[in-house]
């Protein structure tokens, strides 16, 4: 595809597809150009470099998060919905979770999400830095819950890229973990039933349980409530 027929939108959309398939390690201009049926150099007419491309791709996926109508639902329902959508977005795009460790993401997509998210906690009764802290606490909780899945996906890709068998490697790790936990009964009881790549999984309701517990705590800290200090 000649450079004059490429658009930034096409490049960013294709970069997201490449990242979803190959992860951070698979993102390079040559691979992207191949997917676009274009010379890698043509991409540079639209993006500065790989970091710029990653920032643009990272910003685009924030548009997948729905913004609840705050006139139609209460703050807690809105917070639950946005946290669930954020978790879903992170698990669909595990490379973004990894990239948070090395990149500062910004753009209109993330700004759209962040602005509405602050409005959710302002509706609850938080103001100023209190709203920032409430929103930040929930964001950190969601990101932390998405991290194990992202790490497992990345490690599986690396093992397979190097010619190994991910299931076999994870099985060996679990045997080692079980041995290490043998002297700790509570940990042993939880590790022994697990095997293979599912070692980082958790019960289906774990995410919602923790999220609702966190929102319980925030509700108790709403100014004017039982515990107003924050």
């Amino acid at each position: 595809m000649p450079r004059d027929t490429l658009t930034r939108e096409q490049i960013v959309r294709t970069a997201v597809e490449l990242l979803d398939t190959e992860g951070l390690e698979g993102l390079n201009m040559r691979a992207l150009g191949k997917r676009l049926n274009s010379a890698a150099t043509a991409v540079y007419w639209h993006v500065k470099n790989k970091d710029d491309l990653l920032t643009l791709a990272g910003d685009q996926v924030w548009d997948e998060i729905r913004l609840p109508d705050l006139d139609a639902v209460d703050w807690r329902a809105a917070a639950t919905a946005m946290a669930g959508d954020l978790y879903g977005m992170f698990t669909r795009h595990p490379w973004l979770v990894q990239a948070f460790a090395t990149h500062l993401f910004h753009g209109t997509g993330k700004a759209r999400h962040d602005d509405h998210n602050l409005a959710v906690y302002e509706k609850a009764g938080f103001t100023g830095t209190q709203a920032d802290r409430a929103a930040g606490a929930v964001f950190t909780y969601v990101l932390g819950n998405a991290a194990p899945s992202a790490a497992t996906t990345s490690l599986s890709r690396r093992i397979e890229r190097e010619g190994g068998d991910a299931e076999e490697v994870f099985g060996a790790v679990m045997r080692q973990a079980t041995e290490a936990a043998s002297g700790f009964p509570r940990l042993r009881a939880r590790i022994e039933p697990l095997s293979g790549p599912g070692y980082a999984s958790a019960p289906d309701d774990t995410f919602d349980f923790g999220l609702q517990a966190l929102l319980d705590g925030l509700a108790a800290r709403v100014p004017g409530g039982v515990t107003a200090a924050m």
Side-chain angles (χ1 to χ4, degrees), residues 4 25 48-49 64 75 78 108 111 115 138-139 148 183 217:
D4 59 353
E25 301 84 355
K48 296 177 183 178
N49 49 44
E64 297 175 12
W75 78 268
T108 55
D115 185 76
V138 175
F139 176 82

Side-chain angles (χ1 to χ4, degrees), residues 96-120:
L96 182 59
V97 178
Q98 293 176 270
F100 264 104
T102 54
H103 291 74
L104 297 174
F105 287 96
H106 57 85
T108 55
K110 188 174 185 299
R112 160 190 169 274
H113 165 273
D114 291 352
D115 185 76
H116 197 80
N117 202 36
L118 285 171
V120 169

Side-chain angles (χ1 to χ4, degrees), residues 75-149:
W75 78 268
R76 185 154 178 163
T80 298
M82 289 190 70
D85 271 15
L86 179 63
Y87 182 72
M89 186 268 281
F90 279 150
T91 54
R92 287 191 299 275
H93 309 293
W95 50 270
L96 182 59
V97 178
Q98 293 176 270
F100 264 104
T102 54
H103 291 74
L104 297 174
F105 287 96
H106 57 85
T108 55
K110 188 174 185 299
R112 160 190 169 274
H113 165 273
D114 291 352
D115 185 76
H116 197 80
N117 202 36
L118 285 171
V120 169
Y121 296 98
E122 288 177 353
K123 180 173 182 178
F126 296 110
T127 59
T129 57
Q130 292 179 325
D132 296 341
R133 291 169 181 169
V138 175
F139 176 82
T140 302
Y141 171 79
V142 175
L143 182 63
N145 272 264
S149 175

Side-chain angles (χ1 to χ4, degrees), residues 2-207:
R3 70 166 185 262
D4 59 353
T5 62
L6 281 176
T7 66
R8 174 177 283 197
E9 290 72 22
Q10 287 174 308
I11 292 170
V12 174
R13 183 174 62 250
T14 304
V16 171
E17 294 170 357
L18 178 60
L19 284 160
D20 288 346
T21 303
E22 302 295 335
L24 282 176
E25 301 84 355
L27 179 64
N28 60 72
M29 296 306 188
R30 178 174 295 182
L32 182 61
K34 184 175 181 180
R35 281 184 174 244
L36 289 164
N37 193 29
S38 173
T41 53
V43 176
Y44 287 107
W45 286 85
H46 300 274
V47 296
K48 296 177 183 178
N49 49 44
K50 180 178 173 179
D51 283 343
D52 183 41
L53 179 59
L54 182 60
T55 298
L56 292 168
D59 188 57
Q60 177 169 292
V61 297
W62 288 86
D63 287 334
E64 297 175 12
I65 300 174
R66 294 166 294 181
L67 307 183
D69 182 353
L70 298 183
D71 292 328
V73 297
D74 63 34
W75 78 268
R76 185 154 178 163
T80 298
M82 289 190 70
D85 271 15
L86 179 63
Y87 182 72
M89 186 268 281
F90 279 150
T91 54
R92 287 191 299 275
H93 309 293
W95 50 270
L96 182 59
V97 178
Q98 293 176 270
F100 264 104
T102 54
H103 291 74
L104 297 174
F105 287 96
H106 57 85
T108 55
K110 188 174 185 299
R112 160 190 169 274
H113 165 273
D114 291 352
D115 185 76
H116 197 80
N117 202 36
L118 285 171
V120 169
Y121 296 98
E122 288 177 353
K123 180 173 182 178
F126 296 110
T127 59
T129 57
Q130 292 179 325
D132 296 341
R133 291 169 181 169
V138 175
F139 176 82
T140 302
Y141 171 79
V142 175
L143 182 63
N145 272 264
S149 175
T152 300
T153 298
S154 177
L155 181 57
S156 296
R157 284 178 176 147
R158 181 169 66 81
I159 292 169
E160 291 167 1
R161 191 178 292 117
E162 295 173 353
D165 184 307
E167 186 172 353
E168 181 179 316
V169 171
F170 281 116
V173 170
M174 283 308 304
R175 288 191 291 274
Q176 294 169 3
T178 301
E179 182 179 353
S182 61
F184 305 91
R186 296 174 187 81
L187 185 59
R188 184 179 67 244
R190 286 160 175 77
I191 289 182
E192 285 180 341
L194 303 177
S195 62
Y199 84 102
S201 63
D204 291 340
D205 64 347
T206 296
F207 175 79

